[in-house]
Amino acid sequence: MKKFLALILALVMGLSLVACGGGDKPADDAANEPTQTEGDAPKFEKQTWKFTCSATENTCWADMGRDFGQMVSDATGGAVTVEVYAADQLTAGNQTEGIQGVMDGTIELSAHSNIIYSNFDSRLNVVSLPFLFDNFDDVDAKLDGDAGKAVGEVVESMGLHLLGIAENGFRHPTNSVRPIESLADMKGLKIRVAGSELLNAEYDAWGANWTNANWSEVYTGLQTGTYDGQENPLPTADGASIAEVQKYVTYWTGVYDCIFFTMNGELYDSLDPELQKIVDECGLKAAQNQRKLEREGDQEVLEKWKAAGVTVSELSPEAVEEFKAASAGLYEDPKFVEMMTPELIAAFTE
């Protein structure tokens, strides 16, 4: 009887050790085991991905990275962590190098506008043709349709995986000289324009004395009078406190740019199919959430600036036609048609 009890006790102790993982595995090995998500989901290895974007920490660009990171972490049981580096901290503020880092694989995730992407493939300028979109509904119809698929293929040809198309928004010009309510009002203003040959040509057609400069230099340039004004979506401009050094803003649909939310292509291809599915679903959802936040922020900033004394102007239908007519030739300019290709232009205009 004693032998039988001893045998039962030994068996119980052995089962207890098995249930706790054996008891003799090194602690470091146990910590490095794949994380098991809830239910029947597969196990995922622990990974940390860096997300870079050109806008500052207090914008919905950075919020998109955090939103994506939280969703992916939740879906993988905490296996995947996303670190957000706003204002292109990883590349000393250089937006082009931020994209290059994702292409090279030294950075895993990126959110940059099509204007910056056009430095790598000039076809992506197409999104910023003058008065290409009538309103936000028109934006969604095109970017979520065949036109969005067409530019997405261009982005992915660069060795990237496109997670979603988010929004930088309509680029509203500000200045400290006078309200811009007609084509004549734009003439001669020294406007800092984002580094894009197409934007340069647009502001040239509208009569401005445009110049290019890094975004990090713009506030000081406006403050000292080096530039009369700048052009950007309102949340981006507000994130840099532009209203402190500008008196007027023109709220219009003259120029738009989107954000390509991308992942390094080789990294994406290396992921387990189930993790790829999670990444794609979370990426698309984060981009959709960001568009909503951008538009809400657009209106919030507009009201905030009005309350701070900034004069807000909107173009009359006649003034819109003036601006459209002045820049219409860019759609047929052989240089830009060759740059963006007739096929891509047609995808957005037909």
Side-chain angles (χ1 to χ4, degrees), residues 21-86:
D24 58 352
K25 179 179 286 189
D28 288 345
D29 288 348
N32 291 328
E33 284 186 332
T35 299
Q36 175 70 51
T37 58
E38 295 180 2
D40 297 326
K43 296 179 179 180
F44 301 105
E45 294 182 2
K46 285 189 173 294
Q47 301 183 58
T48 298
W49 298 337
K50 298 180 294 296
F51 168 92
T52 185
C53 66
S54 52
T56 53
E57 183 72 27
N58 58 343
T59 64
C60 60
W61 295 52
D63 287 341
M64 179 168 64
R66 288 185 283 264
D67 188 23
F68 173 77
Q70 186 62 59
M71 287 191 289
V72 173
S73 177
D74 290 345
T76 61
V80 176
T81 299
V82 175
E83 297 176 344
V84 174
Y85 296 89

Side-chain angles (χ1 to χ4, degrees), residues 244-279:
E244 295 177 356
V245 288
Q246 298 280 264
K247 297 178 181 179
Y248 308 101
V249 59
T250 300
Y251 194 77
W252 71 349
T253 59
V255 186
Y256 176 90
D257 60 288
C258 65
I259 300 169
F260 294 123
F261 180 22
T262 62
M263 170 179 269
N264 174 267
E266 290 186 3
L267 170 61
Y268 179 82
D269 291 340
S270 73
L271 301 178
D272 178 273
E274 184 64 22
L275 185 52
Q276 287 182 339
K277 181 181 178 183
I278 289 171
V279 164

Side-chain angles (χ1 to χ4, degrees), residues 89-129:
Q89 299 170 46
L90 299 174
T91 54
N94 189 302
Q95 300 176 68
T96 304
E97 290 182 8
I99 296 172
Q100 186 67 58
V102 182
M103 293 168 64
D104 294 342
T106 56
I107 303 171
E108 288 77 20
L109 299 158
S110 155
H112 290 86
S113 81
N114 66 285
I115 291 176
I116 308 303
Y117 267 94
S118 70
N119 290 309
F120 296 92
D121 194 312
S122 61
R123 288 177 290 176
L124 297 175
N125 278 296
V126 68
V127 180
S128 296
L129 278 165

Side-chain angles (χ1 to χ4, degrees), residues 16 202 210 225 242 264 282:
S16 176
E202 288 170 345
W210 59 267
I242 293 301
N264 174 267
C282 294

Side-chain angles (χ1 to χ4, degrees), residues 118-303:
S118 70
N119 290 309
F120 296 92
D121 194 312
S122 61
R123 288 177 290 176
L124 297 175
N125 278 296
V126 68
V127 180
S128 296
L129 278 165
F131 293 95
L132 182 64
F133 303 102
D134 296 327
N135 48 47
F136 287 124
D137 288 341
D138 192 26
V139 169
D140 291 342
K142 289 174 179 174
L143 293 185
D144 294 338
D146 291 340
K149 291 178 182 177
V151 290
E153 290 174 0
V154 176
V155 172
E156 296 205 330
S157 72
M158 298 161 56
L160 299 166
H161 178 71
L162 182 63
L163 297 172
I165 301 179
E167 182 164 278
N168 195 19
F170 289 107
R171 304 180 67 89
H172 307 293
T174 69
N175 79 96
S176 57
V177 178
R178 57 179 173 266
I180 301 172
E181 298 177 339
S182 68
L183 186 64
D185 293 330
M186 183 77 81
K187 187 173 179 61
L189 291 178
K190 296 179 291 183
I191 304 290
R192 179 271 179 185
V193 174
S196 158
E197 189 174 0
L198 177 61
L199 260 68
N200 295 345
E202 288 170 345
Y203 275 86
D204 197 31
W206 294 328
N209 290 331
W210 59 267
T211 188
N212 300 141
N214 287 332
W215 181 232
S216 58
E217 304 169 8
V218 173
Y219 182 92
T220 301
L222 295 170
Q223 188 177 43
T224 59
T226 302
Y227 325 120
D228 295 325
Q230 61 83 49
E231 49 79 48
N232 254 303
L234 295 187
T236 301
D238 188 61
S241 302
I242 293 301
E244 295 177 356
V245 288
Q246 298 280 264
K247 297 178 181 179
Y248 308 101
V249 59
T250 300
Y251 194 77
W252 71 349
T253 59
V255 186
Y256 176 90
D257 60 288
C258 65
I259 300 169
F260 294 123
F261 180 22
T262 62
M263 170 179 269
N264 174 267
E266 290 186 3
L267 170 61
Y268 179 82
D269 291 340
S270 73
L271 301 178
D272 178 273
E274 184 64 22
L275 185 52
Q276 287 182 339
K277 181 181 178 183
I278 289 171
V279 164
D280 285 335
E281 290 177 352
C282 294
L284 181 60
K285 182 62 175 175
Q288 291 173 338
N289 290 346
Q290 188 276 343
R291 275 196 217 177
K292 182 174 182 291
L293 287 174
E294 180 74 25
R295 292 170 192 181
E296 290 173 353
D298 192 67
Q299 293 304 306
E300 289 171 4
V301 172
L302 194 64
E303 294 305 314

